[in-house]
Amino acid sequence: MKKMLWIVNPKAGRGAMSGKVIDCIGAFQQAGFEVTVHVTESAHDATRVVYARAAEFDRIVCAGGDGTLNEVVTGLMQSDVRPPLGYIPAGTTNDFAQSLGIPKAPVEAAAVAVSENLQALDIGRFNDRYFNYIAAFGLFTEVSYATPQQSKNVLGRAAYLMEGVKSLANIKQHHMRVYSKEMTVEDDFIFGMVSNSVSVGGFKAISPDGVMLDDGLYEVLLVYPVENPMELQWLINDLLTHNMDSTRFVYFRTAKISFRADDAVPWTLDGEFGGAMQQAEIANCSRAITFVTGDTKMLEAVDDL
């Protein structure tokens, strides 16, 4: 029989896996897998287990939120052996699962996880760490890791919005020098992200012509400061309408980018705190991890969601 390592985060989301574990294991076994279950016990536990045991299995499946998936991917990137990775989304927003076309229902996602619909996708390297779909700083980025888990479980996406409204009262500006082959810019920014996803925070990405998850490129968005609530509304309108002529932000694609700041800037990686630093080197590791996806075609246009 083929061997599977199933990593489950029991604390993710609103107990999405409650009562579904046996059904998922049944789906795995029916597909011919001998299943080894590992329940995460602490931060970075998934990374440690995957790194140590990846070579023992034909497939790894992760059940948890984007943060848990990040840990599993990190373990695979550190390993010399990288079996295909399936994902059962059990978090609050699960942006990456939406990008892969994976169903929200655990048992349906389990059926996808054992399929042979495999796709090698890009993974990001952030200094000496890795991320699946986003590295970001500034406005709203602290919301994902500052929002209490209990609030996430009870309120879902509304919890992020409530915490985000609080952050508007103290918008910080970060003076950044940004370098890439495509563009070099130095200015003050209130938000910046390097992403590879059709959805961020449960909302569609800005790209007007679609996002490819395996093209070796990242989408970069840098937002200039706003002076008042009206300017903030104009900014939001420009982002929602994909107004690429806007002077309120900078948008471009690149495979490698560097950030230099005057002070230590907090970053978030896949919704988890990534540390505060003055320098950040981000590179696209093209087609580094093979994922099990929900569609034969990757989602190519955010406007189709």
Side-chain angles (χ1 to χ4, degrees):
M1 295 181 69
K2 297 174 292 185
K3 293 185 177 181
M4 173 191 293
L5 174 61
W6 187 26
I7 296 177
V8 181
N9 180 355
K11 298 181 180 179
R14 312 176 209 180
M17 294 306 300
S18 178
K20 305 297 183 181
V21 172
I22 299 301
D23 291 338
C24 289
I25 291 177
F28 298 154
Q29 291 178 334
Q30 287 180 6
F33 284 95
E34 177 183 325
V35 184
T36 297
V37 180
H38 179 86
V39 179
T40 58
E41 300 175 352
S42 59
H44 310 301
D45 184 37
T47 296
R48 176 187 60 79
V49 172
V50 170
Y51 172 69
R53 304 192 63 184
E56 302 174 27
F57 298 94
D58 302 293
R59 185 160 302 187
I60 295 177
V61 177
C62 165
D66 291 333
T68 306
L69 182 63
N70 175 279
E71 289 194 15
V72 173
V73 165
T74 297
L76 284 173
M77 291 298 291
Q78 294 172 351
S79 173
D80 293 331
V81 179
R82 300 173 184 173
L85 176 59
Y87 183 33
I88 299 178
T92 305
T93 54
N94 302 308
D95 287 308
F96 201 63
Q98 182 174 348
S99 293
L100 299 186
I102 297 175
K104 295 180 180 179
V107 179
E108 294 178 13
V112 170
V114 295
S115 74
E116 294 302 319
N117 189 22
L118 308 180
Q119 179 73 35
L121 303 181
D122 301 339
I123 297 295
R125 186 177 71 244
F126 179 92
N127 291 343
D128 59 349
R129 297 183 60 180
Y130 297 96
F131 64 95
N132 301 326
Y133 71 96
I134 185 171
F137 70 85
L139 181 66
F140 289 115
T141 57
E142 296 182 8
V143 171
S144 59
Y145 57 81
T147 304
Q149 184 64 49
Q150 184 176 4
S151 297
K152 295 179 185 179
N153 292 345
V154 174
L155 301 175
R157 189 178 302 169
Y160 291 103
L161 297 177
M162 291 170 62
E163 292 294 326
V165 170
K166 295 178 184 178
S167 72
L168 291 178
N170 186 26
I171 299 178
K172 297 179 182 179
Q173 299 182 21
H174 301 283
H175 191 77
M176 288 277 195
R177 293 171 292 282
V178 184
Y179 307 93
S180 76
K181 179 181 178 181
E182 293 75 12
M183 180 175 292
T184 297
V185 59
E186 178 176 355
D187 215 318
D188 294 331
F189 300 103
I190 60 173
F191 175 77
M193 73 175 184
V194 180
S195 65
N196 191 39
S197 175
V198 299
S199 171
V200 175
F203 301 96
K204 290 192 294 184
I206 185 177
S207 173
D209 55 353
V211 174
M212 294 295 294
L213 307 184
D214 60 353
D215 61 357
L217 297 175
Y218 277 126
E219 286 68 45
V220 179
L221 175 67
L222 302 170
V223 178
Y224 293 115
V226 293
E227 301 297 332
N228 53 60
M230 181 172 291
E231 287 191 8
L232 178 62
Q233 184 60 56
W234 289 338
L235 166 64
I236 293 173
N237 289 341
D238 284 347
L239 293 172
L240 293 177
T241 59
H242 306 163
N243 179 15
M244 294 301 154
D245 295 324
S246 175
T247 59
R248 299 180 176 88
F249 60 81
V250 176
Y251 174 84
F252 61 98
R253 288 187 170 104
T254 188
K256 187 176 182 180
I257 189 169
S258 300
F259 292 84
R260 301 289 185 271
D262 292 343
D263 302 305
V265 176
W267 285 77
T268 178
L269 304 179
D270 295 337
E272 303 294 330
F273 183 56
M277 55 204 67
Q278 288 182 263
Q279 300 184 12
E281 304 287 341
I282 300 176
N284 186 300
C285 301
S286 180
R287 300 171 64 85
I289 299 290
T290 298
F291 284 86
V292 189
T293 67
D295 294 309
T296 54
K297 293 182 179 179
M298 298 307 300
L299 298 179
E300 298 180 358
V302 293
D303 286 337
D304 291 339
L305 291 181

